[in-house]
Amino acid sequence: MQISILGSGYVGLVSGACLAEIGHSVVCTDKDESKIRVLNEGGLPIYEPYLKEIVARNVEARRLSFTADLGEAVRHGDVVFICVGTPPLQDGDADLSAIDGAARLIAREARSSKLVVEKSTVPMQTGQKLTRALAIYGRNSKNSFSVASNPEFLREGTAVLDFLHPDRIVIGVGDESAEKQLREIYQPILQQSVVPCAVHGGVCPAKDVPALLVTSINTAELIKHACNCFLAVKISYANLIADICETMGADVEEVMRAMGLDPRIGPAFLRAGLGFGGFCLPKDIQAFIRLGEKAGVDVALLRDAELINKRRIDHFLARATQWLWTLKDKRIGLLGLAFKPNTDDIRFAPAIELIGRLLQEHAEIRVYDPQAMARTQEVFPTIQYCADPYDVADGSEALVIVTEWSSFKELDWARIRGLMQRPLLLDGRNLLDRDEMVAMGFEYEGVGKPSVEVSPLTGQIVRTSSA
Ligand code: UDX
């Protein structure tokens, strides 16, 4: 199938590369010409595991190409996927101007009839508006446009895996031919017949074949928002329990482990910490709240989940201040900047809020992240970017784990302890084993756990908070 991808960000690039990987002929474009230039020079504008290899292989096989010529890209595809950004507006609503721009572009540049598929996350009824826009802008053409919704469930850091081995594929359609085309596009994935798999090589671990759900366009749009908001609620619930654990004395990880063993609840997305970030959950919950308000539905549950998340950094700073007395002029090291591991994405990352707040307090900040340093440097040019975690620890009075990169677990923690001015670990992701760290002589505070304070004079534990 000939496929066009409008928007070569996380969603567009991963989708385009993976669609080429499963045999389609794909042309990707973006209005940001610098992105296309990087791609045509063999680079990637984002970091995502396995993506580089897939892009290189499919460019080589001539199944995948990138062009800054938007019209050429539109004309290539029988099916055009819209993967443009839908960032939040001031009031929380999704900004759909890029979707409107894509509709105008398609209507203007198409020389044949096309199936136009929304892949960007959009509020319900956007498909209806898109259909209307295509009809209006294309009113002088002989071409017809059919619209479908095919929400993505890709997680950054595991996006290629999620694309090639999804749990489900949702297609929202208004006509049979759209369903037929989308079934054909996803056939290799529905049959799990992509060999060798870009992630697993020869043999993929056993997994059920993905479910294909065919719905109306409205329903498909709602499914995406409903999923992401439920995940956000789940995380905020874990964080609420963590706060109770901290004040009343219990261990949130043990509580969540027990909860997760109940199949009605499930273990995923119950990790308490500094809260959810990234370009999906925070903006999707905002947009969904706005949608509910407009629909006259009580969305207090979502508002509270959002509020709990917004307060994570306040709460964390209050705890840090209890430990450090004042933050002014204190050297504080941050390990991790990306909103989660295995990505370089810092959009709505807790680290960004945390750095901003620490700067307000006039703390001296040193940071390290395996992938997200360059992007953070654009936002905060004046803080200290370190060569490695040991450099961050050097002379620090506290080390904060902001992102749970697995490589941080493997550090030489005894060496870190020796480098720090005060061996205080504020583990914002419960990455490290508290008992191990305490045995090594660290003072340790996790999230939703009893903290351990060590006497600077004797090295003995002087206070374990409740529990
Ligand atoms: C999300 C959805 O998971 C995905 O299906 C959708 O297509 C896009 O949005 P993503 O934004 O990549 O994916 O990140 P996700 O893995 O969902 O994590 C979001 C945030 O929640 C991260 O900041 C993460 O650290 C945080 N999180 C996640 C927790 O704080 N606790 C958890 O238990 C899980």
Side-chain angles (χ1 to χ4, degrees):
M1 185 90 68
Q2 306 262 113
I3 294 175
S4 309
I5 303 280
L6 306 187
S8 300
Y10 282 95
V11 174
L13 199 50
V14 172
S15 304
C18 290
L19 287 168
E21 178 78 358
I22 63 172
H24 302 294
S25 165
V26 181
V27 172
C28 299
T29 190
D30 200 288
K31 66 178 188 332
D32 179 353
E33 291 188 17
S34 68
K35 245 183 220 171
I36 301 298
R37 197 167 43 248
V38 169
L39 287 160
N40 278 328
E41 285 166 359
L44 278 190
I46 54 166
Y47 169 76
E48 186 64 39
Y50 303 104
L51 191 57
K52 206 171 173 47
E53 298 83 332
I54 296 184
V55 168
R57 183 165 50 246
N58 286 282
V59 167
E60 170 83 23
R62 296 182 175 279
R63 280 191 300 264
L64 177 65
S65 63
F66 306 99
T67 176
D69 183 336
L70 301 169
E72 180 195 324
V74 166
R75 285 187 289 279
H76 174 81
D78 300 316
V79 179
V80 181
F81 282 85
I82 301 182
C83 303
V84 297
T86 51
L89 291 166
Q90 208 71 40
D91 64 359
D93 245 340
D95 179 354
L96 299 177
S97 57
I99 303 271
D100 178 61
R104 276 183 285 163
L105 174 73
I106 296 165
R108 187 176 68 236
E109 299 292 346
R111 300 291 177 268
S112 59
S113 296
K114 295 189 188 296
L115 171 62
V116 178
V117 184
E118 326 161 323
K119 212 160 191 29
S120 310
T121 302
V122 289
M124 281 177 78
Q125 300 187 342
T126 301
Q128 291 167 15
K129 291 175 189 139
L130 180 60
T131 306
R132 204 161 150 259
L134 286 163
I136 292 170
Y137 298 128
R139 63 187 176 280
N140 296 326
S141 108
K142 289 191 211 82
N143 307 315
S144 65
F145 301 107
S146 165
V147 167
S149 163
N150 171 219
E152 53 83 18
F153 300 103
L154 310 178
R155 293 163 299 172
E156 289 182 24
T158 52
V160 170
L161 175 77
D162 294 342
F163 194 98
L164 296 175
H165 293 289
D167 304 309
R168 75 297 208 195
I169 294 175
V170 174
I171 55 177
V173 290
D175 60 272
E176 271 178 26
S177 118
E179 178 182 338
K180 193 163 163 277
Q181 276 172 296
L182 284 164
R183 274 183 187 273
E184 191 183 326
I185 288 175
Y186 284 113
Q187 203 55 23
I189 291 179
L190 291 167
Q191 292 176 338
Q192 288 290 287
S193 60
V194 191
V195 183
C197 164
V199 175
H200 303 111
V203 188
C204 302
K207 187 178 175 190
D208 291 342
V209 292
L212 176 75
L213 297 160
V214 184
T215 68
S216 71
I217 297 174
N218 265 349
T219 301
E221 290 167 343
L222 177 58
I223 286 170
K224 177 61 203 267
H225 264 149
C227 285
N228 270 5
C229 291
F230 185 73
L231 294 175
V233 169
K234 234 180 151 184
I235 297 169
S236 282
Y237 188 76
N239 284 326
L240 179 154
I241 302 291
D243 289 353
I244 294 177
C245 287
E246 277 169 21
T247 42
M248 306 288 288
D251 184 329
V252 73
E253 284 194 297
E254 288 172 9
V255 178
M256 291 304 137
R257 198 170 308 128
M259 280 179 62
L261 285 169
D262 183 332
R264 292 169 301 176
I265 298 173
F269 277 70
L270 288 178
R271 274 180 290 111
L274 292 173
F276 57 80
F279 205 55
C280 290
L281 266 47
K283 85 174 168 66
D284 288 355
I285 199 164
Q286 274 184 38
F288 205 44
I289 288 170
R290 291 288 295 140
L291 185 120
E293 284 169 350
K294 282 187 209 160
V297 174
D298 182 355
V299 285
L301 171 72
L302 301 179
R303 259 196 232 106
D304 284 346
E306 191 193 27
L307 197 61
I308 289 170
N309 197 56
K310 282 192 172 145
R311 289 188 182 146
R312 291 318 285 161
I313 301 294
D314 296 338
H315 177 78
F316 182 79
L317 279 172
R319 303 281 286 191
T321 311
Q322 269 176 13
W323 281 97
L324 291 164
W325 188 15
T326 79
L327 300 178
K328 186 163 186 287
D329 298 331
K330 297 267 160 72
R331 181 178 281 198
I332 297 177
L334 266 53
L335 292 185
L337 298 165
F339 81 96
K340 67 175 194 178
N342 301 318
T343 176
D344 60 352
D345 197 346
I346 56 162
R347 291 175 297 176
F348 297 101
I352 300 305
E353 170 78 12
L354 183 58
I355 293 171
R357 299 283 296 277
L358 287 171
L359 283 173
Q360 278 171 12
E361 299 285 337
H362 304 285
E364 183 195 331
I365 305 167
R366 297 166 74 78
V367 300
Y368 172 78
D369 185 284
Q371 294 292 339
M373 303 267 268
R375 285 176 191 258
T376 312
Q377 215 149 3
E378 289 167 20
V379 186
F380 296 111
T382 58
I383 60 174
Q384 189 67 43
Y385 291 87
C386 298
D388 57 40
Y390 304 103
D391 197 10
V392 174
D394 198 8
S396 288
E397 295 194 46
L399 201 55
V400 185
I401 311 271
V402 187
T403 314
E404 65 278 32
W405 285 92
S406 59
S407 58
F408 294 159
K409 263 188 125 124
E410 315 306 326
L411 294 172
D412 179 349
W413 283 98
R415 184 177 160 205
I416 288 188
R417 186 195 178 287
L419 287 166
M420 292 179 72
Q421 198 181 133
R422 175 178 177 183
L424 170 59
L425 282 179
L426 302 174
D427 187 351
R429 296 293 179 181
N430 288 339
L431 177 73
L432 304 168
D433 185 296
R434 182 186 78 143
D435 295 343
E436 258 175 46
M437 292 298 133
V438 171
M440 249 183 238
F442 281 102
E443 295 173 282
Y444 179 91
E445 162 127 348
V447 176
K449 285 167 171 280
S451 51
V452 177
E453 197 171 327
V454 178
S455 160
L457 301 176
T458 63
Q460 300 298 306
I461 293 174
V462 288
R463 185 175 68 94
T464 302
S465 74
S466 41

